[in-house]
Amino acid sequence: MLEPFSALELSPEGAWKQVALQFRQGQEEEWTLYREGVPFEELGRGLVPLQVEACGICATDLARKNLPFRLPQVIGHEVLAKDSHGNRVVVEINASHRARGLDEDCPYCKAGDRGGLHRHCPERQVLGIDRLPGGFGPWILAPKNALFAVPETLPPDTAVLCEPFAAALHAVDSIPDKHGKRLAVLGLGRLGLLSIAALAARRRDSGEEFEIVGLGRRKRPMDLALELGADSVQQVEGEGENLGDGLFELVLDTTGSPKAFRTALRIASGQVHLKSTHGLPTAGLRNLTPLVVDELGVQPYRDTLPPEVHTVVWLAPGQPPSSWKQQCRVIRGEAPLSDLMAVLSLPGPDGVPGADLVVVDRSSNIDQAIRPIRGRELSLLRPGGSILLRKNEAEKSSLYRAVDDRGIRLGSSRCGNFEEALALLVGDPQLQFLGEILVDHHFFAGQLEEAFAAASSSACIKAVIRQQ
Ligand SMILES: [Zn+2]
Ligand SMILES: [Zn+2]
């Protein structure tokens, strides 16, 4: 049992309130959060208490009251903390069975590192986002296998960027075949600048050669992009009318803006990678946010199947190629949704359910593949799966047209791998000072209101909260 502490929690209305909290551990080593002296949240087993040193504010925190997780909560997930031995650690935010060290029969957690499937564990809590109290309070409970030691030589403002840097690096690493290409980062906010830093670090590290172009609106972030390794920057005017069609082979969209996503589709000639979301209908799609949460892709249809495909759902008219039925399980979309969901709940070879591919011929079926039942966090696809679009001239949505007419592929990603991110932050001398370059506002934990106001303004690149 830990001593009670006080922290500022975020209310459902978006206000800050000081509350008394306590983490108490039961007989089975399960933790319960007590709020104002009464049990408030069951947090489960496999967690260790950490004393928070600092925690960054990101776009997810600014949008937190619009996300579908319970409030009030102490939020904050970009945490630098100390363990019970006084060692400095950063914390991976997904409290899955695997991260908690629990030997549960969960296919996502047992799938190993392949595709980071454990980060999609359906029973996960998420530090500072979903149930688990976050790093804007003085104490957190962290999944015991999700702690990564930070060398004392790494400056704290750089260490605190490990979580968002890991996410940026994961986006960069999930873009295939960068060699020899022109790559644009659209949006030079926190995530955009971290993506530039991650691209430049990977280029130094891998020996791959590609061109990095930063696309932003304001001078200071554009200067920072150059400092972080962009080869050039271009100013975006209006909705990007000054940028030619198909100018970049790859576009990493970090803007979180529906209009900018349409621009990204237009200025790309090969792939658009989507990194942030806003919950708004975009480019003819309702479910773009869950697409990123599940790290799904959208591509043009091809007759040839990749070798690792096990299950395909065919929602388009006509017949799938006969060879597909020999290679994998093909489920036709005429089946009632309940049958479809039942078949898809059968595990694939690694135990994880869901289709590898869904074939569609209209935008509404893209939405259906991503979230077939409104209000339920269920997909026809397994995490990392792809939706293939059949030719359909009648479909007018900008996403459909970009994929169908010009062969654009859409990829997406969410969290990242801490181990790899930390190894780069520690090992690449140019990244050691990432914090010094990007963190331009510091606040104490009692100043959250002020800190959030600053973090929402365009004058702020990155704000970090320090515990007193
Ligand atoms: Zn974040
Ligand atoms: Zn699990």
Side-chain angles (χ1 to χ4, degrees):
M1 185 150 90
L2 289 165
E3 292 301 309
F5 59 90
S6 86
L8 282 173
E9 65 176 18
L10 183 66
S11 78
E13 297 76 39
W16 299 99
K17 187 183 170 206
Q18 197 88 39
V19 283
L21 302 175
Q22 188 178 24
F23 297 130
R24 292 196 203 172
Q25 202 169 23
Q27 303 257 307
E28 309 280 309
E29 300 196 321
E30 80 286 8
W31 291 92
T32 303
L33 172 68
Y34 279 68
R35 180 178 176 273
E36 302 294 356
V38 293
F40 181 72
E41 196 82 75
E42 299 299 333
L43 301 173
R45 294 181 295 140
L47 302 169
V48 291
L50 300 177
Q51 191 166 17
V52 177
E53 187 178 324
C55 183
I57 301 180
C58 87
T60 305
D61 300 314
L62 299 177
R64 174 63 178 84
K65 74 178 158 67
N66 304 322
L67 300 182
F69 307 111
R70 182 187 184 190
L71 286 172
Q73 189 195 15
V74 175
I75 66 170
H77 56 275
E78 300 178 352
V79 181
L80 174 65
K82 281 200 166 79
D83 69 11
S84 56
H85 307 288
N87 298 319
R88 205 180 230 190
V89 292
V90 287
V91 187
E92 213 274 330
I93 67 175
N94 291 291
S96 60
H97 299 110
R98 183 176 132 134
R100 292 165 182 263
L102 301 178
D103 186 26
E104 296 286 323
D105 202 15
C106 169
Y108 295 84
C109 287
K110 294 215 153 148
D113 271 327
R114 204 176 70 87
L117 277 169
H118 54 93
R119 293 193 290 265
H120 295 275
C121 169
E123 290 178 40
R124 70 187 184 274
Q125 296 180 352
V126 186
L127 180 71
I129 295 174
D130 182 7
R131 289 165 285 176
L132 265 190
F136 297 146
W139 290 90
I140 58 168
L141 290 176
K144 67 178 184 190
N145 290 344
L147 312 182
F148 298 87
V150 177
E152 288 296 329
T153 50
L154 196 69
D157 277 346
T158 300
V160 95
L161 291 173
C162 190
E163 196 276 334
F165 182 73
L169 187 65
H170 180 48
V172 164
D173 286 344
S174 53
I175 300 169
D177 314 323
K178 293 184 274 293
H179 189 76
K181 299 202 169 141
R182 234 183 144 207
L183 210 154
V185 174
L186 181 61
L188 297 177
R190 287 170 274 267
L191 192 57
L193 290 171
L194 284 167
S195 302
I196 299 239
L199 279 167
R202 265 296 179 249
R203 188 167 57 180
R204 290 191 289 273
D205 172 63
S206 68
E208 269 188 311
E209 280 175 32
F210 47 84
E211 188 183 339
I212 307 168
V213 183
L215 304 175
R217 290 188 185 278
R218 290 172 301 112
K219 183 169 184 316
R220 183 159 161 260
M222 286 163 70
D223 289 344
L224 290 175
L226 291 171
E227 193 176 342
L228 290 168
D231 300 298
S232 63
V233 287
Q234 282 187 47
Q235 190 153 31
V236 180
E237 289 164 20
E239 300 311 324
E241 296 85 2
N242 60 318
L243 303 168
D245 295 357
L247 208 53
F248 305 96
E249 277 141 319
L250 303 157
V251 178
L252 185 54
D253 176 14
T254 68
T255 59
S257 143
K259 280 184 182 168
F261 179 60
R262 289 194 291 271
T263 303
L265 291 171
R266 185 178 61 74
I267 64 175
S269 64
Q271 194 188 349
V272 171
H273 190 93
L274 190 60
K275 193 56 220 162
S276 71
T277 52
H278 34 72
L280 304 169
T282 303
L285 276 195
R286 197 178 64 236
N287 286 328
L288 205 64
T289 296
L291 176 128
V292 175
V293 169
D294 290 350
E295 305 191 300
L296 304 175
V298 179
Q299 297 168 23
Y301 171 82
R302 264 168 287 119
D303 267 340
T304 45
L305 274 185
E308 68 280 6
V309 168
H310 183 259
T311 304
V312 176
V313 174
W314 185 276
L315 295 179
Q319 290 288 336
S322 54
S323 64
W324 285 24
K325 289 186 182 146
Q326 286 145 30
Q327 191 189 324
C328 67
R329 184 167 69 184
V330 181
I331 303 164
R332 297 292 304 275
E334 302 98 37
L337 193 58
S338 53
D339 291 4
L340 212 56
M341 295 307 294
V343 180
L344 286 168
S345 66
L346 297 172
D350 57 1
V352 173
D356 304 280
L357 300 174
V358 175
V359 180
V360 306
D361 78 330
R362 64 200 60 206
S363 279
S364 58
N365 283 356
I366 304 178
D367 278 322
Q368 194 197 358
I370 300 170
R371 286 291 178 266
I373 305 166
R374 257 189 199 246
R376 298 232 4 230
E377 297 290 299
L378 273 176
S379 173
L380 293 184
L381 288 142
R382 54 185 283 147
S386 288
I387 301 165
L388 307 184
L389 308 192
R390 298 273 282 171
K391 273 235 149 298
N392 183 356
E393 306 287 346
E395 258 299 331
K396 297 293 178 224
S397 84
S398 46
L399 174 63
Y400 213 101
R401 292 280 36 95
V403 175
D404 199 10
D405 292 341
R406 297 189 289 120
I408 298 292
R409 285 168 296 126
L410 174 66
S412 69
S413 64
R414 183 170 54 100
C415 300
N417 180 315
F418 264 57
E419 222 163 349
E420 284 180 30
L422 199 55
L424 265 188
L425 288 176
V426 173
D428 183 331
Q430 297 195 51
L431 287 177
Q432 295 250 322
F433 303 103
L434 198 57
E436 206 172 291
I437 296 170
L438 293 181
V439 179
D440 54 358
H441 286 71
H442 292 96
F443 296 91
F444 286 113
Q447 302 173 296
L448 282 182
E449 194 170 346
E450 213 181 323
F452 269 60
S456 317
S457 87
S458 59
C460 174
I461 303 291
K462 183 78 183 179
V464 166
I465 304 295
R466 284 178 182 153
Q467 296 294 325
Q468 302 248 16

